Amino acid sequence: MHVTEMLDTNPGKKIFASEPLSQCIEACFDCAQTCSACADSCLGEPKLDMLRRCIRLDQDCADICLATGKVLSRQQLADVRVVRSLLEACLCACAAAGDECAHHASHHEHCRICTESCRRCARACRDAIAALGAPAGTTH
Amino acid sequence: MHVTEMLDTNPGKKIFASEPLSQCIEACFDCAQTCSACADSCLGEPKLDMLRRCIRLDQDCADICLATGKVLSRQQLADVRVVRSLLEACLCACAAAGDECAHHASHHEHCRICTESCRRCARACRDAIAALGAPAGTTH
Amino acid sequence: MHVTEMLDTNPGKKIFASEPLSQCIEACFDCAQTCSACADSCLGEPKLDMLRRCIRLDQDCADICLATGKVLSRQQLADVRVVRSLLEACLCACAAAGDECAHHASHHEHCRICTESCRRCARACRDAIAALGAPAGTTH
Amino acid sequence: MHVTEMLDTNPGKKIFASEPLSQCIEACFDCAQTCSACADSCLGEPKLDMLRRCIRLDQDCADICLATGKVLSRQQLADVRVVRSLLEACLCACAAAGDECAHHASHHEHCRICTESCRRCARACRDAIAALGAPAGTTH
């Protein structure tokens, strides 16, 4: 991906430091792809019945990660509260999908890889929230 | 749209009451369309320079509303924390885009309509959050 | 939805006539919502095994309809070939999902409604392609 | 990204050969990110007026690449005509955005990188279409 190069050539002021930002953007697109593929792999398993919740949470996670990846790719005139609340939703979706996939990781290799991808994205969201700083109006 | 019919025929348990749910789904898709169209209309205005922030926030709002509309369209085995945090991000995005559009509403009819659509979606998200109930672990 | 109002207030030249355009935009967002909900309803059915292809094609159709609805919502400086080829992909996705849902329509009310929504969107795409006119370079 | 690992662990039959498939999926997500970032960078340039068409086509390309990346990430029970028509739309969108960005590549580094990303994705779509084989009903 060209995430860092695109950040470096953007004429706007970064919404937060370049490194946690580029890592979070990459993790979001990776997690969206992995979750889409994992939901589809689950759909092809013989014991599909046990994987309903995994399919559900993977789909939610893919949708939220894509929205987050797109919003973070923009540097112009952001609203910090929108960015922070979306990062929190993304962290929550990655934690939920990652925990569910972890239950199936010993039976399905796609769930094991997806767990990793979700956890990496959850960490990247947490680091991004920290890099954004405390919410306005918070006592320090 | 077929939102209510699709909710009524879903074999799953609704994540919350049907009425605030169907209104929120419809409002999300409507707001996503309106914000996409408003960002594009802004791009065609002669005084484009003053509309940069409007384009930015409209795009964020469209992306977040679409993710929210898709997640709320699913009733199977939801994670309530994911749904609640996404509704909060969507409320925040609609408030930000609606407030920015309101500044241009007297000059641009597309911004006036978009303000309305954002505010309706913000209200629908607030009602949906209320219908979801208090977060687990909260003292009552 | 505010599709027609947003088209009427866009400062750009419509990519094609307003009526087939607004009908196609509305049909795309409706079909995306219906297909997302139908895939989820299928996931909750006891005889899930027979609905794998329905879930697959509903997901594809939802993704393609959303991209089409967003692209058609923009009027500024379009590339007509991009619009036409996307409408053709959308028509194809709606036909495939609609045909698959039709096989399950007598057993599952959500598939019956989804068949209708897919067919309406396929028709709207066909009318939109006709309204766009013949491809440049075609002999008449 | 985990594209190849996810393809290798999918229980379904690949829609076409793994190598052009994984390259196309990666190129689609990369191009979606690059185009989202380029549209945003254009929005921050002082001479915004000349970049209207670039912003428009970048947005279309991002939306179509994301839909294509998601559809290609699924291997279960695909409809080959849907996949082919979507690849053709994606190729067309990448060609249009890449050509427009190329006009600004000497002035804006983000447009130069975006041109590359669009062209790589257009090539990957062309290779994927070739790997899919001739349409059914075609004389050989």
Side-chain angles (χ1 to χ4, degrees), chain C residues 109-127:
Chain C
E109 190 64 4
H110 49 81
C111 286
R112 192 192 61 71
I113 302 164
C114 195
T115 306
E116 267 180 35
S117 185
C118 288
R119 293 199 168 153
R120 189 168 74 103
C121 193
R123 266 197 309 277
C125 288
R126 208 174 286 118
D127 292 348

Side-chain angles (χ1 to χ4, degrees), chain C residues 4-24:
Chain C
T4 308
E5 284 166 271
M6 290 308 288
L7 281 175
D8 288 348
T9 56
N10 193 306
K13 192 178 160 295
K14 308 289 159 293
I15 43 177
F16 52 89
S18 279
E19 210 187 295
L21 180 55
S22 67
Q23 284 182 3
C24 195

Side-chain angles (χ1 to χ4, degrees), chain C residues 16 83-84 87-89 91 124-134:
Chain C
F16 52 89
V83 176
R84 184 185 291 110
L87 282 165
E88 279 162 4
L91 167 54
C125 288
R126 208 174 286 118
D127 292 348
I129 293 166
L132 261 184

Side-chain angles (χ1 to χ4, degrees), chain A residues 35 39 53-66 89-90 93-94 96-97, chain B residues 67 70-79 82-83 86, chain C residues 40:
Chain A
C35 282
R53 188 165 159 86
C54 199
I55 294 174
R56 161 65 205 249
L57 295 178
D58 275 348
Q59 289 178 317
D60 287 359
C61 193
D63 289 332
I64 298 171
C65 281
L66 282 185
C90 193
C94 290
Chain B
K70 287 185 81 183
V71 169
L72 291 180
S73 295
R74 300 182 186 120
Q75 306 309 314
Q76 306 302 322
L77 306 163
D79 183 299
V82 174
V83 176
L86 184 59
Chain C
D40 177 76

Side-chain angles (χ1 to χ4, degrees), chain B residues 39-40 42-49 51-53 55-56 59 63 70, chain D residues 39-40 42-49 51-53 55-56 59 63 70:
Chain B
D40 177 77
C42 288
L43 192 64
E45 293 293 349
K47 295 192 180 170
L48 174 52
D49 188 52
L51 295 164
R52 293 179 203 243
R53 188 165 159 85
I55 293 174
R56 160 68 205 248
Q59 288 178 317
D63 289 331
K70 287 185 81 183
Chain D
D40 177 76
C42 288
L43 193 64
E45 293 293 349
K47 294 192 180 172
L48 173 53
D49 188 52
L51 295 163
R52 292 179 204 246
R53 189 166 158 86
I55 294 173
R56 161 67 205 248
Q59 289 177 316
D63 289 331
K70 287 185 81 181

Side-chain angles (χ1 to χ4, degrees), chain D residues 26-75:
Chain D
E26 287 208 36
C28 282
F29 282 97
D30 174 53
C31 193
Q33 197 279 324
T34 310
C35 281
S36 297
C38 185
D40 177 76
S41 286
C42 288
L43 193 64
E45 293 293 349
K47 294 192 180 172
L48 173 53
D49 188 52
M50 301 175 64
L51 295 163
R52 292 179 204 246
R53 189 166 158 86
C54 198
I55 294 173
R56 161 67 205 248
L57 296 177
D58 276 347
Q59 289 177 316
D60 288 359
C61 192
D63 289 331
I64 298 171
C65 281
L66 281 185
T68 308
K70 287 185 81 181
V71 168
L72 292 179
S73 296
R74 300 182 186 120
Q75 306 309 315

Side-chain angles (χ1 to χ4, degrees), chain B residues 84 133-140:
Chain B
R84 184 184 292 109
T138 308
T139 351
H140 296 278

Side-chain angles (χ1 to χ4, degrees), chain C residues 9 12-13 34-35 38 50 54-55 62 69 71 74 89 91 96 110 118 127:
Chain C
T9 56
K13 192 178 160 295
T34 310
C35 282
C38 185
M50 302 175 63
C54 199
I55 294 173
V71 169
R74 300 182 187 119
L91 167 54
H110 49 81
C118 288
D127 292 348

